[in-house]
Structure formats: structure tokens, C-alpha cells
């Protein structure tokens, strides 16, 4: 837009730089930053500020409601399963086969009742021939926990950073989809 209304004044150098940058983005057509003190434009700024504050409050309330709901669900899960502690970290494992071969293990993770897609993993099955879900699950869980123990040892020795240790956190609840068997 040719004019941008601001609720407060920017430092002089910043305002000038921003106007120049926005003018370049508009193919050389001038952009002005205005700080209205009264009138209709000032009322627009006040309205935008009120709307932004209301939106922020709504987001904060929704986040609080979501966290409370998750806590209720985790407490219910704890009670139903008779767990000694709240299951903060939950890991779920499953095996998929393509036409009876090429098995792949999957790990999904939830923390504090929320999915953590950055923690999801796939495991190529290395030691099991054919569609043997039980042996494949055993391999995947063994590999995951061995790596977690190695990462914990590396953290304790100072050989690795926390960000590198993807498996160092162990689950409070482990769910394995293995069928009736």
C-alpha cells in the first residue's frame, strides 16, 4: 500500500530505512509510514490494536483450554492403565509390509498429549525375512532403545549436544501394534 499507519513512532533511521525498502518493493512508487494522532486514521489504529489484543487473548485462552484438556486426558489414561506417573511422553510402534515383504517400522511420538511429528521415525527392517511383525517389532524397539542408551551415555560424557540426541528421551508409555498375538 502507498501508506502504512503505525500506532507509534519508529526511530528516525529505522523509519527511513523501512520506507526505502518498501518503496523498492513497490517498484519505486513511494510508501509513507504515518503515525496518526487524531481523526479517522487514528481511530483505525485504535480499532486494529483492540482487534489484535482480542485475537491474542483468544489464542491464549484456546491454548490454555487445549493444555487443560490434554491434562485431563492424560490423567484418565494414567488411571485406566494404572500407571504410577502421568504418561508425558508416549511412543507408538507399528510395522507395515508391502505385499508380504519390504517391512518398515514406524514410530510416532506424543508429548504432553500433543503429536510431535519432528520425533516420528521410520525403521527399515534389517534382520527379519518375510512378514513377521513380532520379530520386526522386536528389532525396531531394540534398535530404538539401544540408540537411546548410547545417546544418554554420549550426553553424560559430554560427547554430544542435546539437539543431537533424538532418542535419549525414553517414553513413559510405549504402545505396540502387534495384533492379537
Amino acid at each position: 500500500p502507498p501508506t502504512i499507519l503505525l500506532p507509534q513512532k519508529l526511530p528516525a533511521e529505522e523509519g527511513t530505512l523501512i520506507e526505502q525498502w518498501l518503496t523498492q518493493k513497490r517498484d519505486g512508487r513511494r510508501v509513507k509510514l504515518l503515525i496518526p494522532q487524531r481523526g479517522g486514521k487514528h481511530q483505525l489504529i485504535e480499532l486494529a490494536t483492540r482487534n489484535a489484543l482480542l485475537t491474542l487473548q483468544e489464542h491464549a485462552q484456546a491454548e490454555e483450554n487445549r493444555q487443560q484438556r490434554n491434562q485431563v486426558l492424560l490423567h484418565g489414561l494414567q488411571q485406566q492403565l494404572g500407571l504410577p506417573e502421568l504418561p508425558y511422553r508416549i511412543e507408538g510402534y507399528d510395522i507395515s509390509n508391502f505385499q508380504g515383504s519390504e517391512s518398515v517400522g514406524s514410530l510416532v511420538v506424543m508429548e504432553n498429549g500433543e503429536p510431535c511429528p519432528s520425533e516420528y521415525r521410520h525403521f527399515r527392517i534389517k534382520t527379519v525375512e518375510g512378514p513377521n511383525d513380532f520379530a520386526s517389532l522386536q528389532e525396531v524397539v531394540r534398535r530404538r532403545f539401544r540408540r537411546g542408551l548410547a545417546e544418554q551415555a554420549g550426553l553424560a560424557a559430554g560427547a554430544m549436544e542435546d539437539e543431537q540426541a533424538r532418542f535419549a528421551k525414553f517414553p513413559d508409555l510405549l504402545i505396540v501394534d502387534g495384533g492379537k498375538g
Side-chain angles (χ1 to χ4, degrees):
T3 305
I4 297 176
L5 306 177
L6 301 174
Q8 59 191 25
K9 193 168 182 137
L10 296 174
E13 288 181 23
E14 280 185 40
T16 303
L17 283 173
I18 291 171
E19 280 183 345
Q20 289 172 354
W21 178 73
L22 290 171
T23 297
Q24 283 179 335
K25 290 288 183 189
R26 267 192 100 212
D27 298 324
R29 292 176 289 164
R30 184 147 191 261
V31 174
K32 292 190 307 184
L33 302 178
L34 292 180
I35 301 93
Q37 302 300 313
R38 61 185 172 275
K41 291 179 181 177
H42 181 70
Q43 288 174 343
L44 278 175
I45 290 290
E46 287 179 340
L47 178 64
T49 302
R50 280 194 306 273
N51 286 344
L53 185 58
L54 284 172
T55 301
L56 180 62
Q57 290 170 345
E58 287 173 2
H59 282 289
Q61 185 63 51
E63 174 67 17
E64 186 178 322
N65 291 344
R66 187 184 54 75
Q67 288 179 1
Q68 286 176 353
R69 184 194 74 231
N70 287 350
Q71 289 302 305
V72 167
L73 292 172
L74 289 174
H75 280 286
L77 186 59
Q78 178 186 14
Q79 284 182 330
Q80 288 290 318
L81 298 177
L83 300 174
E85 294 179 15
L86 203 64
Y88 173 75
R89 182 180 174 93
I90 301 170
E91 293 185 4
Y93 295 85
D94 193 13
I95 302 296
S96 297
N97 299 291
F98 181 70
Q99 295 182 349
S101 63
E102 299 181 34
S103 297
V104 176
S106 298
L107 161 65
V108 295
V109 178
M110 295 187 77
E111 286 187 350
N112 204 23
E114 294 289 323
C116 295
S118 65
E119 300 272 330
Y120 292 4
R121 295 289 176 267
H122 287 96
F123 297 83
R124 205 172 348 179
I125 304 302
K126 298 177 180 180
T127 63
V128 178
E129 294 292 323
N132 185 338
D133 284 2
F134 300 109
S136 297
L137 282 165
Q138 183 181 29
E139 176 186 330
V140 168
V141 172
R142 182 182 295 125
R143 284 170 50 193
R144 183 267 182 260
F145 279 89
R146 279 189 179 153
R147 175 133 181 225
L149 289 170
E151 286 181 2
Q152 282 186 345
L155 285 172
M160 68 181 354
E161 300 286 326
D162 247 350
E163 302 87 47
Q164 296 170 321
R166 295 182 185 265
F167 290 102
K169 293 184 264 180
F170 288 115
D172 301 305
L173 175 62
L174 188 133
I175 300 170
V176 178
D177 181 7
K180 280 188 175 183

